[in-house]
Amino acid sequence: MKKTLIILLLLTLLINSVFAANQVFSSKRAQLLDGENADAITLVKEQDYASQLGGVRAIEILDRPSLAIGEKDYPVTVGDVYSLTYTLSGVSIVLPLQVTHSGTVRVPNVGDFSTLNKSFIELKNEIEQGVTSNYPYSNPTLTLTKTGVFTVFVSGEVYSSRRVEAWGLTRLSDMIGYATNMASTRNVIVKNSDGETSYDLYKALKEGDSNSDPILKSGDTVIFTERERLITIGGSVMIPGSYQLEEGDDLNALINRYAGGFSKNADSSKIILKRFENGRYNESIIENIDNLTLLDGDIIYISAIQSELYSVSIEGALLNDQKSASVSGSASTSYYFRFSTGDTVRDLVEVMNPYFISESDLAGASLIRKGEIIPISFADVLYGNDEMGNMALESGDRFIIPFSQLIVNVIGAVNKSGVYGFVPGKTASYYITLAGGYSTDAKGQNDFTIRDKYGNKIKASEVVPAEAVIEVERDNFVKNLQPAVAVIGIVSSVLAIVTSTLAIVAPSIY
C-alpha cells in the first residue's frame, strides 16, 4: 500500500513538472472554439437607440450658408437673410432681404415674392428674373448670407419633452439623440398643421429610403412612439445587433433580412433563445424556428460549429518558468500551441511574442515539418509583412528558436586565438586587437576573412555581426620555413658538439 502511494505521488509530481515545463497556449480562434467563451451569449447586449440605427450622431455644421447654397433642396426658411446685388445706371446697388413669417420677400421697386414651399434656388431665380425685367442689363445676384433658425417640439419616448433648435436642413434623423431606448425606430410621427405622418427611421438609415427622413419645418412636433418588438441577435451571423421588427417578421426575417444571414461557421441546428420570464432570463435551444413567436427583449444566439483543435510545439530560446533563459545542456524552454483550422504562423508569433527574450534569435528560427527544415524569420513576421506569416499551421509542426550568442571567434595568425565578447558597431580590427594582434606568421595586415554564423562572407570593412568568425591568414612561406629552420638548428648544434669534442681529444692523440 505504501509503495502504491509513493508511486502515485511520484507520478503526480512528474506530470505536474511536465506541464509546468511545457505550458500550453491557444490562438484566439482556438480559445473561442475551446469553450473558454461557452457563456458567449451573456456577452450579447441590447443596443441603445442610436446604435440600432447605425450609431448616427448629429454633426455640428459650422458654415451653414455654404452648405445651404450647395444643397439644391434647401428650403426657404423663416429668418434667412439674403443679399441682392445689381447695377443701376453704373451704380452698384446692395439690398439686404430677410424672410419673415409673412410668407413673402419684398424687393423695393420690384415687388413681393412668395416663399411658401420654395427652395432657395427657386426663389433666387424668381427674384433675379424680376429685377432683370424691371432693370434690364442690371446683372442681379441673390446670395444667402445667413440661415434662419427655428424650433421644433420633441415628445413621447424622450428623456424630456422640449423645444429644440433646428434650421433649414434639419432632418428627422437629427432628433435621434433625444429618444430613449424604449422609443420606436419604425414609427416616428411628425405632426404639423397639415396633420400627422409616420416615418420609419430604420428604412431611412439602414435601407437608404430618403423619403423616410424628411426635412423638418418650423412648427413641427416630433413624437417618438413606444417600440413594439426589439430583438437582439449575436453569434455567427453577418450583422449582429438589435433590431425592431415589423408585424409579421419572424426568426427567418431576423436572420436573413436584418442580420445578413448566417456566417460561414454558423451551426444553424443550434440556435439559442434567451428570454426574460418569471423575473429572470432563461435559455433554451430552439427546436422549431417556424413555430417561434419572438417577443420584445428576446436575445437570439447562433452558435458556431465546433472545429477540431490541433497543436504544434515551439522550443528554444524562450522565457521559462524562472523568467530567464539558459543555454547550458538541454535547458531551452518548450511550449505547446493549440490552434484551429485557418490559423497561421503569424497567429502563433503574435501570441508567443511576450515569451521572446533578448537571447532569442528570431531571424534564425526554423520550422521542422515532416522531416523538412524550413528557415523562417519570426522577426520579419512580427515586425514586417513577411509572406511566411501567412503559412497555415499543420498539426505536428515543430518551431525552433536558437539562442543568439553575443560572441565573436578570432582564429588563425593572431597571438591569442579565442572567443571574445560581441560589441555592436565594431569592425574586425577591434577583435584582432583583443586577440593580441597579428602574430609573426601573419600574411598581412588586411589578409583575413569574416564569415557570419550562416557561413556567408562579409567584407573586411564592414561591421562584424554577433557569432561571426574572423580568420587571419598565415604566411605560407614562413609556415613552410619553420621546419627547415628547426632542422638547421639541430644540425648546427650537432656540429658544435663535434667541434668541441675534437678540440678536447686532438692534443692527446698527437
Side-chain angles (χ1 to χ4, degrees), residues 144-186:
L144 175 65
T145 59
K146 183 180 179 182
T147 59
V149 177
F150 56 90
T151 62
V152 297
F153 191 72
V154 294
S155 63
E157 282 294 337
V158 293
Y159 292 103
S160 65
S161 297
R162 66 182 81 179
R163 290 196 174 275
V164 298
E165 183 181 288
W167 69 294
L169 289 179
T170 297
R171 291 187 177 272
L172 179 59
S173 59
D174 294 319
M175 301 292 110
I176 285 174
Y178 300 103
T180 70
N181 293 340
M182 293 303 296
S184 171
T185 60
R186 314 308 299 266

Side-chain angles (χ1 to χ4, degrees), residues 410-414 432 438 442 444 447-449 470-474:
V410 184
I411 60 175
V414 291
I432 292 173
Y438 297 96
D447 291 319
F448 56 82
T449 57
I470 303 173
E471 182 176 6
V472 179
E473 191 175 346
R474 296 182 186 278

Side-chain angles (χ1 to χ4, degrees), residues 96-321:
L97 305 174
Q98 186 169 17
V99 180
T100 66
H101 286 282
S102 66
T104 61
V105 170
R106 172 164 293 182
V107 179
N109 302 319
V110 176
D112 293 338
F113 296 86
S114 174
T115 61
L116 298 176
N117 300 319
K118 288 182 181 177
S119 68
F120 167 70
I121 298 298
E122 291 172 336
L123 182 63
K124 172 183 170 69
N125 291 335
E126 286 186 16
I127 291 178
E128 289 178 353
Q129 289 173 6
V131 173
T132 301
S133 297
N134 283 270
Y135 306 108
Y137 310 109
S138 59
N139 298 318
T141 300
L142 184 70
T143 303
L144 175 65
T145 59
K146 183 180 179 182
T147 59
V149 177
F150 56 90
T151 62
V152 297
F153 191 72
V154 294
S155 63
E157 282 294 337
V158 293
Y159 292 103
S160 65
S161 297
R162 66 182 81 179
R163 290 196 174 275
V164 298
E165 183 181 288
W167 69 294
L169 289 179
T170 297
R171 291 187 177 272
L172 179 59
S173 59
D174 294 319
M175 301 292 110
I176 285 174
Y178 300 103
T180 70
N181 293 340
M182 293 303 296
S184 171
T185 60
R186 314 308 299 266
N187 181 28
V188 183
I189 296 174
V190 176
K191 182 180 178 181
N192 49 41
S193 58
D194 296 329
E196 295 184 2
T197 305
S198 175
Y199 294 96
D200 189 329
L201 283 179
Y202 178 85
K203 288 183 178 179
L205 300 177
K206 299 287 280 187
E207 297 183 349
D209 182 4
S210 59
N211 293 325
S212 297
D213 190 17
I215 291 177
L216 299 179
K217 300 176 182 178
S218 177
D220 283 350
T221 295
V222 177
I223 304 171
F224 287 94
T225 63
E226 186 177 353
R227 78 187 192 196
E228 294 185 3
R229 285 191 303 162
L230 176 70
I231 314 299
T232 301
I233 184 169
S236 298
V237 289
M238 301 303 294
I239 314 173
S242 297
Y243 301 96
Q244 294 191 28
L245 306 187
E246 294 182 297
E247 185 178 354
D249 285 338
D250 56 9
L251 183 56
N252 281 314
L254 173 66
I255 294 172
N256 296 302
R257 176 187 170 188
Y258 295 93
F262 293 113
S263 56
K264 291 182 178 179
N265 66 335
D267 184 355
S268 58
S269 65
K270 190 177 181 182
I271 302 177
I272 300 174
L273 167 65
K274 187 176 181 180
R275 175 172 290 173
F276 190 80
E277 296 175 314
N278 301 321
R280 64 188 183 90
Y281 275 102
N282 298 303
E283 293 181 15
S284 60
I285 296 178
I286 300 172
E287 301 291 342
N288 188 344
I289 63 174
D290 295 326
N291 295 329
L292 176 67
T293 299
L294 294 173
L295 304 179
D296 182 52
D298 282 353
I299 295 175
I300 301 295
Y301 184 80
I302 311 298
S303 301
I305 297 173
Q306 294 296 314
S307 299
E308 188 174 352
L309 298 177
Y310 309 94
S311 68
V312 299
S313 65
I314 177 170
E315 51 195 275
L318 297 163
L319 199 67
N320 60 25
D321 295 338

